[in-house]
């Protein structure tokens, strides 16, 4: 039994074998409000012991028959549990203490010995101390359980970060202030012929001496020392491949500082720039050759121009790789900040628990949870930027949606910002994911607020968009809907506008923005079949317009929905298909908490066996990205034998599920990882009770 499942122990168990001693003690405690039970022998008492017990009050005669049963129960307690014992000895103090130490010292850590006869005040004082100690055990147990869950969340975040870094075509490592590798991604296998796990714990200087003779050791040594001194370092060196062929590498060292500003190590990013270097060399050679050949033979000009075009293409490719490096650095920076919040909070919690200081730990647990949620939000913004988030496009009444966000907008604004809504009548209906549109508008409103440090007017408008003649973009070539956020702020110069949608570009101070807000809105607009425009000038404010496709004629607008109560399983049976054991465990537990009976399947083959059986199923929940058969194919197979079976898809990222309307059939719904219990409940209720209103997820 875990501490948050058990009632906090306040019951006193009494064991006194002689006469009415046990009953007299129980009556005495009852008069003072202590819940207590009386037992004449230790075997009976042990049979009533459980985690709800608060303390044991016993005379020394109670242990005369032996400690085997009591010892076994004490040994089987939870790690956080240590039942306090108050022992009443005979008048001979020294003899009583000897009995106590002989019988109980190796069994009970919290032992109080009282000499009989004893006054009621002394007895109550000893019991109060024992019960207070017991309450603190429960508090410590809850904190230990919270710490375990936080560690699991951290492990999930670390696995996600490794997945991202392993997918990138560059070496990424972290070396601490002692020059020891603490992280290495999968690219080390290709570059150095070493498994990433072999690098952890190695000293970078020793490793270079033994295996780096083909690389400029002095330049790398100097760069590492500069990085450990707090300097950002950029090197370009020859780095031959393992087969001896040429390779040029760009090495970037980014120092990492702790909360006190001290350098605790640096990140190393190494990527292949052979194409770029060759392109630059070829460009120089081509230019020289061109000057010489133009004078000699004009006929060769066409061939030279073709060579130059190839060189420029290689240069553009290298610039794309450089942009990827900048993106990776931004991801590493933001994820590092979030992991610092999680790791720092857990370190403080561990330290304080070790010191017995269990007060005020909730705020550090909250800090760890907030950091993990920020990491999840960053992942969603990256998916939006890459246009790979799952969209559920619906006919949406834009006026109703903006009106429903008014209170949220006002909460985000300072008192010196005046909010105005310009909503036409009749309303305008667009085909768009309402939930993602809400996120995009909130991003734009917050940006507009930050652009007006002295306050001013902020207007959110819904407008009809007229078709424009002579444009190639199909969004502007037809009638469409426009949602516009305008401010009276500082405006932007052209060079800032050109970079406004770049990932991780921000003009805000360090720590006040990730630089993904506008890039996320840009990705969302284009994935929705729309576009985005900026109209601004320095000192004249900024207007950002989202141009969205109109809903088909006759399609009514879907107004924002309110949150529904939690779904109640009522014993209904759910088949849950998920190949990740951690996700499978957690979602199964959530289903049980909601009152469903969960049937787990780790792969499509196991799920098909269940589907072909006679087992009654009320719902199937399946991950989209399964090994072999994907979730959509599994749903088709399920419907062949169970045509009315509701299906809920779970996706972290699935490219073919990006537009939900094209992916989902009747009585199907989708939910995106990570999700809360309330969001999962709402989606389950949506597919099981299609007539009930639920909030979009």
């Amino acid at each position: 039994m875990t501490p948050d499942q058990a009632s906090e122990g306040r019951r006193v168990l009494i064991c006194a074998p002689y006469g009415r001693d046990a009953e007299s003690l129980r009556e005495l405690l009852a008069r003072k409000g202590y819940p207590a039970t009386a037992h004449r022998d230790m075997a009976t008492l042990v049979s009533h012991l459980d985690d709800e017990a608060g303390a044991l009050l016993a005379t020394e005669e109670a242990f005369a028959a032996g400690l085997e049963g009591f010892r076994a129960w004490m040994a089987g307690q939870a790690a956080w549990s240590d039942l306090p014992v108050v022992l009443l000895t005979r008048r001979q103090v020294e003899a009583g203490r000897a009995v106590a130490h002989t019988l109980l010292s190796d069994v009970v850590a919290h032992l109080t010995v009282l000499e009989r006869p004893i006054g009621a005040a002394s007895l109550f004082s000893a019991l109060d101390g024992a019960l207070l100690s017991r309450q603190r055990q429960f508090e410590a147990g809850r904190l230990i359980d919270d710490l375990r869950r936080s560690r699991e969340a951290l492990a999930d975040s670390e696995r996600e970060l490794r997945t991202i870094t392993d997918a990138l075509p560059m070496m990424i490592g972290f070396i601490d202030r002692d020059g020891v590798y603490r992280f290495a991604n999968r690219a080390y296998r290709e570059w150095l012929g070493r498994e990433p796990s072999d690098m952890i714990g190695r000293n970078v200087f020793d490793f270079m001496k033994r295996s780096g003779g083909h690389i400029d050791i002095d330049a790398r040594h100097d760069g590492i020392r500069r990085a450990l001194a707090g300097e950002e370092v950029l090197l370009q060196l020859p780095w031959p491949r393992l087969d001896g062929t040429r390779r040029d590498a760009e090495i970037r060292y980014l120092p990492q500082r702790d909360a006190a500003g001290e350098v605790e190590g640096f990140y190393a990013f190494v990527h292949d720039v052979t194409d770029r270097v060759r392109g630059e060399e070829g460009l120089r050679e081509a230019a020289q050759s061109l000057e010489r050949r133009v004078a000699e033979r004009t006929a060769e000009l066409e061939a030279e121009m073709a060579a130059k075009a190839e060189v420029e293409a290689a240069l553009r490719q290298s610039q794309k790789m450089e942009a990827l490096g900048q993106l990776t650095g931004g991801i590493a920076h933001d994820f590092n900040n979030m992991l610092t919040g999680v790791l720092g909070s857990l370190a403080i919690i561990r330290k304080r628990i070790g010191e017995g200081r269990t007060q005020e730990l909730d705020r550090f647990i909250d800090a760890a949870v907030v950091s993990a949620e920020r990491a999840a939000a960053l992942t969603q913004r990256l998916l939006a930027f890459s246009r790979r988030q799952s969209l559920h496009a619906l006919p949406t009444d834009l006026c109703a949606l903006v009106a429903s966000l008014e209170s949220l907008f006002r909460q985000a604004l300072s008192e010196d910002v005046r909010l105005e809504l310009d909503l036409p009548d009749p309303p305008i209906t667009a085909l768009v994911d309402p939930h993602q549109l809400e996120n995009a508008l909130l991003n734009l409103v917050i940006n507009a607020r930050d652009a007006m440090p002295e306050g001013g007017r902020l207007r959110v408008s819904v407008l009809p968009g007229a078709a424009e003649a002579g444009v190639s973009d199909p969004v502007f070539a037809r009638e469409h809907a426009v949602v516009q956020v305008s401010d009276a702020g500082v405006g932007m110069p052209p060079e800032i506008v050109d970079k406004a949608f770049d990932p991780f570009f921000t003009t805000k101070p360090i720590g006040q923005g990730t630089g993904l807000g506008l890039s996320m809105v840009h990705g969302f607009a284009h994935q929705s079949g729309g576009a985005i425009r900026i109209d601004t000038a320095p000192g004249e404010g900024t207007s950002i317009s989202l141009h969205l496709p109109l809903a088909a004629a006759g399609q009514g607008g879907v107004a924002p929905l309110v949150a529904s109560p939690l779904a109640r399983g009522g014993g209904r049976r759910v088949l849950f298909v998920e190949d990740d054991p951690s996700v499978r465990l957690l979602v199964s537990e959530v289903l049980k908490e909601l009152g469903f009976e969960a049937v787990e399947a780790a792969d499509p083959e196991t799920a098909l066996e269940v589907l072909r059986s006679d087992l009654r199923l009320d719902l199937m929940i399946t991950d989209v990205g399964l090994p072999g058969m994907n979730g959509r194919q599994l749903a088709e197979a399920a419907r062949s034998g169970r045509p009315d079976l509701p299906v809920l898809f779970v996706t972290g990222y699935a490219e073919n599920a990006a537009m939900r309307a094209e992916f989902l059939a009747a009585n199907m719904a989708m939910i995106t990882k990570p999700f809360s219990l309330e969001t999962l409940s709402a989606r389950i209720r949506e597919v099981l009770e299609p007539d009930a209103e639920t909030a979009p997820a």
Side-chain angles (χ1 to χ4, degrees):
M1 181 177 293
T2 61
D4 56 349
Q5 293 171 325
S7 301
E8 293 186 353
R10 298 183 182 278
R11 179 163 48 90
V12 180
L13 285 82
I14 303 169
C15 187
Y18 293 161
R20 295 190 72 257
D21 288 355
E23 188 60 30
S24 297
L25 286 170
R26 188 196 66 75
E27 293 173 355
L28 175 63
L29 296 184
R31 286 195 293 273
K32 280 293 186 178
Y34 292 87
T37 58
H39 310 276
R40 293 183 59 84
D41 58 76
M42 186 57 62
T44 305
L45 180 139
V46 169
S47 68
H48 288 78
L49 279 174
D50 56 30
D51 282 340
E52 297 182 16
L56 170 61
L57 174 62
T59 63
E60 60 181 322
E61 295 88 352
F63 296 96
L67 290 174
E68 289 75 14
F70 181 69
R71 185 190 300 272
W73 188 89
M74 292 292 284
Q77 296 180 96
W80 53 267
S81 178
D82 184 15
L83 181 68
V85 176
V86 178
L87 180 68
L88 303 180
T89 69
R90 296 176 181 175
R91 192 172 188 83
Q92 296 82 359
V93 177
E94 294 303 324
R97 292 187 185 279
V99 170
H101 283 287
T102 300
L103 297 178
L104 298 175
S105 60
D106 64 335
V107 179
V108 180
H110 192 288
L111 175 63
T112 304
V113 180
L114 301 176
E115 176 191 350
R116 292 180 293 178
I118 182 173
S122 298
L123 177 60
F124 295 147
S125 176
L127 284 174
D128 286 342
L131 291 174
L132 178 60
S133 173
R134 186 64 166 161
Q135 300 311 307
R136 287 175 176 169
Q137 291 176 23
F138 276 87
E139 293 171 2
R142 282 192 296 271
L143 292 173
I144 290 171
D145 201 49
D146 290 341
L147 178 60
R148 175 186 58 78
R149 286 194 291 267
S150 296
R151 284 175 173 168
E152 291 173 353
L154 174 61
D156 291 340
S157 297
E158 289 176 341
R159 282 193 292 271
E160 291 176 2
L161 179 59
R162 177 164 290 280
T163 299
I164 292 173
T165 58
D166 282 349
L168 296 173
M170 65 174 63
M171 280 202 302
I172 302 176
F174 182 79
I175 294 92
D176 66 18
R177 69 184 69 187
D178 297 320
V180 176
Y181 274 98
R182 296 303 180 193
F183 177 85
N185 73 337
R186 189 164 55 193
Y188 276 76
R189 185 186 306 153
E190 175 191 349
W191 283 70
L192 300 178
R194 299 273 186 172
E195 291 297 324
S197 57
D198 293 340
M199 301 301 299
I200 306 304
R202 288 180 177 269
N203 184 281
V204 64
F205 296 110
D206 294 340
F207 182 77
M208 284 193 297
K209 290 178 182 177
R210 289 195 300 269
S211 60
H214 57 293
I215 307 169
D216 190 337
I217 300 297
D218 292 338
R220 290 190 65 198
H221 268 241
D222 178 70
I224 290 173
R225 292 191 182 95
R226 288 160 54 199
L228 292 175
E231 180 183 347
E232 290 191 12
V233 179
L234 179 64
L235 303 173
Q236 183 174 303
L237 301 172
W239 193 313
R241 295 183 175 84
L242 296 177
D243 61 3
T245 58
R246 172 185 175 175
R247 176 168 55 194
D248 297 281
E250 183 180 90
I251 306 171
R252 188 183 299 269
Y253 296 144
L254 299 179
Q256 170 65 32
R257 299 179 185 274
D258 58 21
E262 297 294 327
V263 175
E264 59 183 7
F266 64 92
Y267 285 97
F269 300 91
V270 184
H271 65 98
D272 189 340
V273 294
T274 307
D275 289 343
R276 187 183 75 191
V277 174
R278 284 177 170 169
E280 292 169 349
E281 294 172 351
L283 186 59
R284 289 192 296 268
E285 294 172 1
Q288 295 171 1
S289 176
L290 182 61
E291 292 177 359
R292 184 174 61 254
R293 289 193 173 187
V294 166
E296 296 175 350
R297 289 195 303 267
T298 304
E300 295 182 358
L301 179 60
E302 183 177 354
E304 292 295 335
M305 293 300 295
K308 184 179 180 181
E310 292 177 0
V311 169
E312 290 174 345
L315 183 58
R316 284 193 297 271
Q317 180 63 27
S318 70
Q319 290 171 341
K320 291 180 182 178
M321 295 301 295
E322 184 175 357
L324 180 60
Q326 293 174 351
L327 175 63
T328 306
I331 294 172
H333 174 268
D334 281 349
F335 263 105
N336 186 64
N337 286 342
M338 297 163 192
L339 292 176
T340 298
V342 176
L343 291 172
S345 297
L346 294 179
I348 292 174
I349 292 171
R350 174 184 288 171
K351 180 177 182 294
R352 290 200 174 185
I353 290 178
E355 295 172 350
R357 299 163 57 200
T358 59
Q359 297 83 6
E360 298 184 358
L361 291 185
D362 286 348
R363 63 193 183 101
F364 297 106
I365 295 173
D366 291 342
V369 172
V370 168
S371 294
E373 290 174 346
R374 286 180 59 207
L378 176 60
T379 303
Q380 288 300 313
R381 290 186 175 187
L382 287 170
L383 288 175
F385 166 72
S386 63
R387 309 180 194 176
R388 292 297 184 269
Q389 62 183 336
S390 175
L391 295 182
H392 188 26
L394 298 171
T396 301
D397 183 342
L398 298 180
C399 297
L401 184 142
V402 171
S404 71
L405 293 174
E406 180 177 2
S407 61
L408 185 61
F409 290 161
R410 294 191 184 278
Q411 292 174 19
L413 301 178
S414 56
E415 294 181 354
D416 54 1
V417 175
R418 184 175 72 260
L419 176 66
E420 297 178 359
L421 301 184
D422 183 8
L423 307 178
D425 188 18
I428 298 175
T429 303
L431 187 63
V432 68
D433 186 321
H435 182 61
Q436 296 300 331
L437 179 57
E438 290 174 355
N439 290 339
L441 291 178
L442 185 58
N443 259 304
L444 295 178
V445 166
I446 291 174
N447 280 350
R449 175 203 66 190
D450 294 342
M452 297 187 292
E454 304 299 327
R457 176 187 55 78
L458 192 158
R459 174 178 293 173
V460 182
S461 307
V462 176
L463 308 166
E468 300 178 14
V471 295
S472 58
D473 192 325
V475 178
F476 302 105
R478 60 177 182 267
E479 292 184 349
H480 55 279
V482 181
V483 184
Q484 185 178 83
V485 178
S486 303
D487 63 66
V490 296
M492 292 183 281
E495 61 269 23
I496 297 298
V497 175
D498 291 342
K499 301 178 181 178
F501 298 126
D502 290 351
F504 297 103
F505 175 78
T506 179
T507 59
K508 297 178 183 179
I510 295 176
Q512 295 187 17
T514 63
L516 279 176
L518 281 180
S519 63
M520 181 273 288
V521 177
H522 180 270
F524 161 71
H526 283 272
Q527 190 181 355
S528 300
I532 185 170
R533 282 179 172 176
I534 299 179
D535 183 14
T536 183
E540 297 182 8
T542 300
S543 292
I544 298 183
S545 303
L546 287 175
H547 299 259
L548 302 170
L550 291 171
Q555 288 183 304
V558 177
L561 301 178
V562 296
S564 63
L566 290 178
R568 298 300 178 190
R572 287 180 286 190
R573 188 176 291 121
V574 178
L575 172 60
F576 177 49
V577 190
E578 169 61 60
D579 59 320
D580 187 297
S582 299
V583 176
R584 192 167 63 249
L585 170 66
L586 293 174
V587 174
S588 294
E589 287 300 317
V590 169
L591 290 172
K592 293 174 185 176
E593 289 291 329
L594 294 173
F596 293 92
E597 178 184 346
V599 179
E600 299 181 19
D603 50 64
E605 290 74 18
T606 305
L608 288 172
E609 292 178 5
V610 176
L611 291 166
R612 292 168 184 149
S613 71
D614 296 329
L615 187 67
R616 176 182 57 81
L617 295 175
D618 302 294
L619 170 66
M620 181 173 76
I621 302 178
T622 177
D623 190 17
V624 174
L626 294 172
M629 177 185 292
N630 64 37
R632 188 63 176 83
Q633 293 167 335
L634 177 61
E636 290 296 328
R639 287 285 178 88
S640 66
R642 299 173 185 252
D644 298 324
L645 179 65
V647 180
L648 175 59
F649 294 104
V650 179
T651 179
Y653 160 60
E655 184 173 359
N656 59 354
M659 291 301 293
R660 298 189 188 186
E662 302 171 2
F663 186 83
L664 301 178
N667 208 14
M668 292 181 180
M670 182 179 293
I671 188 171
T672 303
K673 301 174 187 174
F675 48 78
S676 64
L677 182 148
E678 290 80 10
T679 303
L680 176 61
S681 170
R683 276 291 173 261
I684 291 175
R685 191 162 181 255
E686 177 182 333
V687 294
L688 291 180
E689 302 172 22
D691 294 333
E693 289 188 344
T694 55

